Amino acid sequence: MKKHLTILSLLILPACMGGGDGTSVDLTPSGPSASMNAEFNPLLNGVRMDAGESELFYDERVGQAAQIHANDMLVNNELSIFLAGTERDMGDTLNSLGYGWQDIGQMVAQGNYSLAGVLSEWEANGSPAGSGGGGSDELTFEDYVEFGIAKAGSGNDQRWVLLLTNPN
């Protein structure tokens, strides 16, 4: 089956750009937060159920790929669908973690959000003009089965990644 990669990015820029306020950065390179994913699960699935779609399930490798990308964006002070300085995308990261996939959807955001707040932004704004796709359409794409969400940083200097997948 042909692999398909759908990438959406949401560029939500905080009012204050820069390298942060001098406080420590809360990177989590060892892995994604299982409690954050557990808290996000009913929020995301509420959007899907309202659209008549099936429930998504958290996968640790998908969460780990999202965390790798969130950490990379924070360390490199950017918001991108690619890892800094490379053409590596989320599919490459999942492949390196041994996760076989058919479809991938990705959303990124920057700013000081709660889980409900960042989901609301993704629902309302989708992806920036010219990048294709958008918002709740991507969140409710019927082929997605698993997800992972990650955050790196603190305060206004946070990077968020939502990864939606359909495994092989």
Side-chain angles (χ1 to χ4, degrees):
M1 175 176 281
K2 181 178 177 185
K3 292 184 178 183
H4 174 82
L5 175 63
T6 303
I7 299 179
L8 298 177
S9 60
L10 176 61
L11 303 177
I12 304 172
L13 301 176
C16 220
M17 295 299 290
D21 58 5
T23 61
S24 65
V25 174
D26 67 341
L27 288 178
T28 333
S30 60
S33 166
S35 63
M36 183 171 71
N37 280 279
E39 185 180 337
F40 189 72
N41 190 311
L43 300 173
L44 177 59
N45 281 316
V47 170
R48 289 185 57 86
M49 298 299 179
D50 287 347
E53 296 301 335
S54 60
E55 182 178 5
L56 291 176
F57 299 94
Y58 169 71
D59 182 273
E60 186 173 341
R61 290 173 297 175
V62 177
Q64 185 178 3
Q67 190 65 58
I68 289 167
H69 196 71
N71 292 349
D72 180 73
M73 288 190 303
L74 183 67
V75 166
N76 291 290
N77 195 28
E78 67 180 22
L79 194 62
S80 173
I81 58 173
F82 296 104
L83 293 175
T86 74
E87 291 297 315
R88 286 181 51 95
D89 62 22
M90 202 52 73
D92 296 321
T93 302
L94 285 169
N95 291 340
S96 73
L97 295 170
Y99 183 90
W101 54 273
Q102 296 176 32
D103 296 301
I104 300 173
Q106 176 184 352
M107 295 183 149
V108 298
Q110 177 178 338
N112 189 4
Y113 292 105
S114 65
L115 287 170
V118 76
L119 179 61
S120 292
E121 288 295 325
W122 282 324
E123 272 191 285
N125 297 314
S127 58
S131 65
S136 59
D137 292 342
E138 189 70 10
L139 295 173
T140 59
F141 183 64
E142 66 185 41
D143 286 345
Y144 295 139
V145 176
E146 296 174 334
F147 80 95
I149 187 167
K151 175 190 80 128
S154 59
N156 287 331
D157 198 18
Q158 294 179 26
R159 303 303 190 284
W160 292 87
V161 175
L162 173 61
L163 184 56
L164 307 163
T165 66
N166 179 15
N168 277 339

